[in-house]
Amino acid sequence: MSGIEETLRQIEQEADRQIAEAKGMDALNDIRVAFLGKKGSLTSVLKSMKDVSPQDRPQVGKWVNDARARIEQKMEENRAKLEAELMNRRLEAEKIDVTMPARKQRIGHRHPNTIALEEVERIFVGMGYEVIEGPEIEYDDYNFTKLNIPANHPAKDEQDTFYITDEILLRTQTSPVQARIMEQGRLPIRMIAPGRVFRSDEVDATHSPSFHQIEGLVIDKGITFADLKGTLEVFAKELFGENTKTKFRPHHFPFTEPSAEMDVSCFKCGGKGCRFCKGEGWIEILGCGMVHPHVLEMCGLDPKEYGGFAFGVGLERIALLKYEIDDMRLLYENDIRFLSQF
Ligand code: DAH
C-alpha cells in the first residue's frame, strides 16, 4: 500500500518536473501520453490494482485519481502559460508602428490630352453625338482620294506622311473616318472621331510627327451652314467659357465647300490682345465646312438628298490653350513633374 503511495508520489514529481520544463505544446502533449495515456505510467498503476487487496482498492483508486487531477491541472496551467508566451512573441514580431510615416502610393494623373478629350467628348455627347474610332493605319484611298484629294493634289504634299506601301499609310488626319462612316450608310450621322494622326514633321514647340485630332461629322437632310455655326459656337462657349465669341474666316479644304477656319476670342484678354493671343485678340481653333458634294458621292450618298458639315480640331492645341502650356513637346516627354500638375 505505502509502496504504491510512494510510486504515485514519484510519478507525480516526475510529471511536475517535465511539465515545468516543457517548451511547447508538442512537448506537453508527449508528457500527457507518457503519464496519462493508455500505456502511461499512471495508468499502469491502475492496472496493478489486481494485486491490491479489495478493501484497499478504493483508497488506491482515490490516490490515482487525485494524482491524475493534479497532473492535469498543472498541464492546463502550463498550456495557458505557453499559449500566452506564444501570443506575446507573435505580437512582438508583428508589431506595427502606426506612427511611422506611410509609404506613399504614387497614383498617376490623367494626361492633359485625355482631360481635354474627355471635355470635348462630354460637350458633343451632350448634343447627341456618337464617339467613333477609325484605324490609325489607313488606306491612301480613305485618307486622300475619297476626301477629294486626288493623286498629285498639292494638299497631299502639305500632309507628307509615312507610307507603308503605295496604298497604305499612317493616316495624316482623322477625316478618313468621315468617309468610312458615310459608306456604312446609316443615316443620319452625328459623330465625333478622336484619334492619333501622323505627319512627317520635325519636332518643335508646335509640331510633332504624331499628334491627335478630333473629327466631327453631321449628315442629314436640310443641314445648313447655320447649323455648323450654331453647333461650333456652343462647343466654343462650353470649352472656353460663356463669354467666348467665335469668328469664321473663309478657308480652303478639299473635302468641304464652303470651308472656314473658326477663331475664338482670346479667353485670356477677352479679345483686347495680349501675349497669349499674340496681340490678335483671336485664337484659331479648328477647320470646318459643308461636306463637298463629291465626297458625298464618293461615299455613296446622294448630294441632292443629303448634306452636312464637318470639322477637325487639334486635340493638343486645345490642351495647350486650356492649360496654358507653351510647348507641345511637354505633352510627350512624360515628365512626372509636368504631368502631376493636372
Ligand atoms: N483634316 C483637316 C486637317 O488635318 C482638318 C479639317 C478641316 C477637318 C476641315 C474637317 C474639316 O473635317 O471640315 O487639317
Side-chain angles (χ1 to χ4, degrees):
M1 255 281 276
S2 61
I4 291 182
E5 198 180 3
E6 177 57 20
T7 309
L8 282 172
R9 212 176 48 77
Q10 279 171 10
I11 291 174
E12 201 178 328
Q13 260 179 12
E14 180 57 15
D16 284 355
R17 192 184 62 76
Q18 289 192 22
I19 290 169
E21 280 176 8
K23 289 270 179 308
M25 296 301 169
D26 288 350
L28 219 49
N29 204 43
D30 290 348
I31 297 168
R32 178 187 308 280
V33 174
F35 288 89
L36 311 177
K38 267 195 211 138
K39 293 181 183 144
S41 40
L42 204 62
T43 320
S44 67
V45 176
L46 276 180
K47 280 179 185 159
S48 64
M49 282 283 251
K50 57 182 187 312
D51 306 328
V52 176
S53 63
Q55 72 270 27
D56 288 337
R57 279 181 195 165
Q59 178 60 57
V60 173
K62 187 174 180 311
W63 284 339
V64 173
N65 282 340
D66 287 352
R68 183 183 187 89
R70 283 193 299 271
I71 292 172
E72 275 177 347
Q73 161 88 22
K74 288 254 166 59
M75 285 190 132
E76 177 52 31
E77 281 168 16
N78 206 22
R79 195 191 58 78
K81 201 179 93 200
L82 283 173
E83 244 170 29
E85 273 172 23
L86 199 70
M87 177 60 98
N88 278 338
R89 241 177 289 136
R90 275 187 56 189
L91 286 175
E92 195 61 33
E94 294 169 17
K95 191 151 82 179
I96 298 169
D97 181 353
V98 291
T99 66
M100 289 257 285
R103 199 171 300 147
K104 205 164 182 184
Q105 293 284 342
R106 284 191 172 239
I107 297 175
H109 286 250
R110 285 187 307 159
H111 191 277
N113 271 356
T114 309
I115 304 173
L117 175 58
E118 285 176 358
E119 177 72 3
V120 173
E121 286 181 349
R122 184 190 64 76
I123 296 167
F124 280 104
V125 167
M127 293 195 275
Y129 284 58
E130 249 184 293
V131 181
I132 286 172
E133 278 182 32
E136 291 174 4
I137 300 172
E138 185 55 284
Y139 290 105
D140 183 284
D141 210 31
Y142 282 106
N143 195 81
F144 293 122
T145 316
K146 286 192 164 130
L147 296 173
N148 212 21
I149 310 173
N152 307 321
H153 193 285
K156 242 175 145 161
D157 277 351
E158 277 168 36
Q159 300 190 357
D160 193 11
T161 188
F162 304 101
Y163 277 88
I164 292 166
T165 68
D166 282 349
E167 281 99 44
I168 298 172
L169 45 75
L170 298 184
R171 67 178 175 189
T172 61
Q173 47 187 352
T174 44
S175 307
V177 186
Q178 286 189 34
R180 285 180 170 272
I181 207 80
M182 279 190 273
E183 273 188 356
Q184 288 178 7
R186 282 200 301 269
L187 302 164
I189 296 165
R190 239 189 256 122
M191 67 114 199
I192 56 169
R196 189 184 282 271
V197 300
F198 306 84
R199 290 185 195 180
S200 169
D201 275 332
E202 296 292 334
V203 174
D204 66 24
T206 54
H207 290 89
S208 160
S210 162
F211 57 103
H212 299 78
Q213 290 186 331
I214 305 162
E215 195 73 17
L217 178 69
V218 171
I219 299 285
D220 204 348
K221 290 176 179 162
I223 301 286
T224 69
F225 203 90
D227 295 311
L228 178 158
K229 284 183 78 175
T231 303
L232 294 180
E233 205 174 297
V234 169
F235 168 59
K237 283 186 196 298
E238 285 268 336
L239 193 61
F240 296 114
E242 192 46 36
N243 297 325
T244 306
K245 288 194 273 296
T246 52
K247 181 169 85 174
F248 292 81
R249 280 180 291 101
H251 198 79
H252 171 261
F253 295 106
F255 36 88
T256 44
E257 181 60 35
S259 304
E261 277 185 333
M262 183 176 88
D263 297 346
V264 294
S265 56
C266 177
F267 46 85
K268 269 259 134 169
C269 65
K272 286 194 288 289
C274 67
R275 196 183 62 86
F276 203 68
C277 56
K278 301 190 181 73
E280 301 275 334
W282 296 94
I283 298 171
E284 180 198 320
I285 218 76
L286 55 78
C288 58
M290 303 306 288
V291 180
H292 199 294
H294 283 171
V295 174
L296 292 169
E297 268 167 5
M298 279 187 282
C299 297
L301 300 180
D302 180 357
K304 287 201 229 34
E305 204 183 347
Y306 282 100
F309 65 84
F311 54 91
V313 198
L315 178 59
E316 278 79 359
R317 186 155 174 75
I318 289 178
L320 297 183
L321 285 171
K322 253 189 105 74
Y323 307 113
E324 300 185 24
I325 303 163
D326 56 11
D327 192 326
M328 189 172 174
R329 286 169 288 201
L330 288 165
L331 292 176
Y332 305 117
E333 282 167 357
N334 286 338
D335 187 329
I336 197 90
R337 292 166 301 180
F338 167 75
L339 290 175
S340 57
Q341 296 174 68
F342 301 95

